Amino acid sequence: MTALDLSSPVAVVGTGTMGQGIAQVALTAGHVVRLYDAVPGRARDAAAAIVARLDRLVEKDRLTAADRDAAGGRLLPAEDLADLADCTLVVEAVLERLDVKQQLMRELEDVVGEDCLLATNTSSLSVTAIGAALRNPGRFVGLHFFNPAPLLPLVEVVSGFATDVTSATRAYEMARAWGKTPVACADTPGFIVNRIARPFYAEAFAVYEAQAADPATIDAVLRASGGFKMGAFELTDLIGQDVNESVTHSVWQAFFNDVRFTPSLAQRRLVESGRLGRKTGHGWYDHGDDAERPEPHTAEPAQAPAYVVVEGDLGPAADLVALIREAGIVVREEEEDHGTRMVLPGGGQLALADGQTSVEFRDVVYFDLALDYRRAGRIALSASQDTASQTLTEATGLFQALGKDVSVVGDAPGMIVARTVARIVDLAHDAVAKGVATEEDIDTAMRLGVNYPLGPFEWSRRLGRSWAYDLLDDLHLRDPSGRYAPSLALYRHAYATEKREGTP
């Protein structure tokens, strides 16, 4: 069975922000839409709000007046659940409580026909557990829209343990017919996006908690070096610290307190203090009308070195060789069997973040991963208290000569972007190995759902198949809590490559 016919009425139960958004998507696709809310009068108020948004689309020339009038005529507030009896799809977007959703599903099953597809827009609860309340859970599926639903293209189509393949297929094709980009996934905590995105926040908070860098600097590095649209601190201020922490806590608990998903104590304190972000005027940042945004740490101008010696292949940072030469700095390349690094004129070393710490070595400065070293506007450097000041100065001057702002952070193994990307890649491989979703759907979900510059597998191919495993393995040796232990799936991925290349 394919997508629902446009002549088929659909219903949305729950008329908050998400319910209204989903209703608008179905409405503009051409369906008759019935709106229901248990609170009297809310369905009519929601219908009026949706029509007002359609009016604004007409004002912006994104919708014709005729289409708006036709859509308004198809939008029908419902006074009772019984008014949904003829619908072929009902999507619930009510309170995120398992008992509330289960009770609603039991009531709906007594009202709608046997061929009606029932769906939940939950972002944190088990689709399987909600569907268990039904006599026929095979027709129940998760349809996780992203907020705002009319604008964001991604829909996670989630199959519960008992969901029929035909039901999942109907839901998938329906989302596509509505102009969305669906991805299929199994019923796992966080689904695709909220599961794999956890390290983006967690690693930024961990660097902050280790006092290696302040929020403004970490955000600037994630944006200007990592290529992310927003940093973790500014993004969680936008989302709401309470909302973001709740999702993290839900995923952590659902995975039986797996250390890889452990919530941040610093964020907990922020929530406890009532500093929830933009909606309260203060979060990680002060959002008051007169507040000044803190500036990231930026190193003072330093003299560029006359030359660098490049030993071995710089791997993901190989583009730096051409950039250094273009800046007029002499590059001497030497073969090296036991590592990759740059040696500066003072004898200090400059190396790409690899999960080790600067303090372990006599005189080394680490530099962070960049999505594109040519386009990156900022590079982070990491040094220990034992690093020679000349080495840090030469490393700073080198990257400034390439046109980069330089942020010097503490001795954080894996730095900022590198450890974040490595953990995202690891969770993505683990998800595929456990049947959560395909590589293609995970890449699509992370690009569209959270606007990542690359999907995890695109990043993995660019960085080299063993890069993430090697970095996490080094991190795990230095923090054996299990947080950075690479998954078996990532190990197999890296080892299979090495074996094919002849490694014993």
Side-chain angles (χ1 to χ4, degrees), residues 169-472:
T169 302
R170 286 178 69 193
Y172 186 96
E173 294 300 332
M174 179 215 65
R176 187 155 61 180
W178 288 3
K180 297 300 181 181
T181 303
V183 291
C185 67
D187 184 20
T188 185
F191 308 141
I192 297 174
V193 172
N194 280 331
R195 172 179 177 153
I196 295 174
R198 292 348 297 157
F200 179 74
Y201 313 107
E203 293 313 307
F205 298 161
V207 172
Y208 167 76
E209 289 173 337
Q211 302 186 59
D214 61 274
T217 299
I218 296 169
D219 278 352
V221 171
L222 286 168
R223 289 193 311 269
S225 185
F228 294 97
K229 296 299 182 183
M230 299 181 74
F233 296 90
E234 58 191 343
L235 180 55
T236 52
D237 265 4
L238 176 63
I239 294 169
Q241 298 302 329
D242 53 340
V243 174
N244 181 261
E245 190 207 28
S246 177
V247 173
T248 298
H249 200 271
S250 174
V251 172
W252 175 60
Q253 283 191 317
F255 276 113
F256 309 106
N257 296 359
D258 187 330
V259 68
R260 295 177 302 165
F261 301 101
T262 301
S264 162
L265 182 58
Q267 188 180 41
R268 176 90 290 265
R269 293 292 179 259
L270 203 65
V271 173
E272 289 174 339
S273 71
R275 294 186 170 189
L276 307 182
R278 292 189 183 183
K279 61 187 178 183
T280 62
H282 206 305
W284 296 110
Y285 299 107
D286 184 348
H287 298 279
D289 293 337
D290 299 325
E292 293 185 7
R293 184 67 175 265
E295 293 294 325
H297 174 272
T298 302
E300 294 295 326
Q303 181 68 40
Y307 70 91
V308 295
V309 179
V310 176
E311 296 183 347
D313 179 5
L314 294 181
D319 288 347
L320 285 176
V321 175
L323 294 178
I324 294 169
R325 285 193 170 116
E326 290 170 15
I329 299 171
V330 174
V331 177
R332 303 171 186 168
E333 295 187 73
E334 296 182 2
E335 294 294 331
E336 182 64 44
D337 294 331
H338 61 272
T340 60
R341 61 182 182 175
M342 287 183 276
V343 180
L344 299 165
Q349 302 174 37
L350 184 59
L352 176 62
D354 59 5
Q356 300 183 85
T357 61
S358 297
V359 76
E360 298 172 53
F361 304 98
R362 182 184 62 81
D363 192 11
V364 63
V365 170
Y366 280 107
F367 63 94
D368 209 349
L369 179 69
L371 173 69
D372 183 334
Y373 282 100
R374 184 173 291 277
R375 296 183 180 181
R378 181 177 295 271
I379 294 294
L381 301 180
S382 172
S384 75
Q385 65 271 22
D386 296 327
T387 303
S389 59
Q390 180 182 356
T391 301
L392 184 57
T393 298
E394 289 177 341
T396 299
L398 174 65
F399 281 103
Q400 289 174 339
L402 306 186
K404 319 299 183 188
D405 289 327
V406 173
S407 292
V408 179
V409 303
D411 190 13
M415 299 195 65
I416 299 170
V417 179
R419 69 199 284 180
T420 299
V421 171
R423 288 206 60 216
I424 289 170
V425 167
D426 182 46
L427 289 186
H429 278 280
D430 186 53
V432 169
K434 292 176 177 173
V436 173
T438 64
E439 291 186 9
E440 181 181 3
D441 275 356
I442 288 175
D443 276 354
T444 298
M446 301 313 290
R447 287 196 312 270
L448 299 183
V450 279
N451 211 14
Y452 283 2
L454 293 175
F457 293 97
E458 293 174 313
W459 227 320
S460 183
R461 287 189 289 271
R462 176 181 289 200
L463 296 171
R465 291 175 60 128
S466 65
W467 177 85
Y469 175 82
D470 291 340
L471 186 143
L472 290 176

Side-chain angles (χ1 to χ4, degrees), residues 124-190:
S124 61
L125 299 176
S126 164
V127 172
T128 301
I130 300 171
L134 295 168
R135 294 187 298 274
N136 175 19
R139 62 161 156 177
F140 184 69
V141 66
L143 281 176
H144 183 214
F145 289 78
F146 287 74
N147 191 28
L151 297 180
L152 295 186
L154 184 69
V155 177
E156 292 177 318
V157 180
V158 186
S159 293
F161 187 78
T163 302
D164 291 336
V165 173
T166 53
S167 297
T169 302
R170 286 178 69 193
Y172 186 96
E173 294 300 332
M174 179 215 65
R176 187 155 61 180
W178 288 3
K180 297 300 181 181
T181 303
V183 291
C185 67
D187 184 20
T188 185

Side-chain angles (χ1 to χ4, degrees), residues 68-81:
R68 174 202 57 198
D69 294 342
R74 296 193 303 272
L75 184 58
L76 308 173
E79 299 295 333
D80 192 272
L81 278 181

